[in-house]
Amino acid sequence: MYEWIKALHVIAVIAWMAGMLYLPRLFVYHCEAEPGSRQSETFKVMERRLLRAIMNPAMVAAWVLGLGLAYWGGWYAFHWLQAKVALVLLLSAIHGLLARWVRDFAADRNQNSQRFYRIINEIPAVLMIGIVILAVVKPF
Ligand code: HEM
């Protein structure tokens, strides 16, 4: 049973990360579209669907299944898991910011530059590298 939950956890994590890496890229392109243009409206639909249909449920599933693994595997006292949860909390905070920017774009109220979203785009990738190393190598 544990291995099945782990497989589902990794599937949820892949879906979540796909959105975390793609949504800021959509924002980069959205910055170039004139507010009110057809292109801008299309980006709004893409951003909303990516967030609501994929990223939100995938994040919840990754958390629930991950906490289940920590409990059933008896991992919660291990330092690698505590460090991993700290990084996942940061990732979840970025998820919250991305959701806020989706709302800003939807209301044609984006305040940030293309360069800003390019930089933001790198953060989930860096966090993911740390999280996967902690989960697989378990260095401490
Ligand atoms: C949301 C909080 C999370 C918790 C509490 C959590 C916890 C866990 C636990 C306890 C395991 C089982 C380790 C084992 O049996 O060896 C695991 C596996 C794994 N987790 Fe998470 N996880 C979380 C989120 C994430 C995220 C966001 C990622 C990637 C970005 C991730 C990637 C992985 C991977 C790749 C494995 C498989 C490791 C292996 O089989 O060697 N997890 N996780």
Side-chain angles (χ1 to χ4, degrees):
M1 191 64 184
Y2 182 86
E3 300 301 326
W4 282 99
I5 295 171
K6 189 150 77 172
L8 291 175
H9 175 66
V10 173
I11 292 165
V13 156
I14 289 171
W16 184 22
M17 287 312 303
M20 292 296 288
L21 297 172
Y22 188 48
L23 190 54
R25 189 112 304 265
L26 279 178
F27 293 158
V28 170
Y29 300 133
H30 198 158
C31 283
E32 284 175 358
E34 197 63 39
S37 65
R38 218 176 126 184
Q39 209 186 15
S40 171
E41 296 306 307
T42 306
F43 278 127
K44 287 182 190 178
V45 174
M46 291 168 77
E47 288 156 3
R48 193 183 62 233
R49 287 194 184 152
L50 183 60
L51 181 70
R52 294 212 188 139
I54 297 176
M55 292 170 64
N56 285 346
M59 178 179 71
V60 172
W63 266 104
V64 171
L65 296 164
L67 290 174
L69 288 169
Y71 178 72
W72 286 303
W75 295 112
Y76 42 83
F78 284 72
H79 294 303
W80 68 266
L81 182 68
Q82 290 161 3
K84 182 181 166 179
V85 169
L87 294 187
V88 181
L89 280 171
L90 274 176
L91 197 64
S92 306
I94 300 199
H95 181 116
L97 287 173
L98 293 176
R100 191 165 95 190
W101 295 325
V102 166
R103 283 198 298 275
D104 287 350
F105 270 113
D108 292 323
R109 271 199 327 249
N110 171 45
Q111 310 273 332
N112 303 309
S113 66
Q114 253 191 344
R115 194 178 133 71
F116 175 82
Y117 290 121
R118 276 184 210 282
I119 294 167
I120 288 294
N121 206 178
E122 306 301 326
I123 303 174
V126 173
L127 288 174
M128 179 192 66
I129 292 168
I131 292 167
V132 170
I133 290 172
L134 286 169
V136 175
V137 181
K138 302 181 179 54
F140 40 79

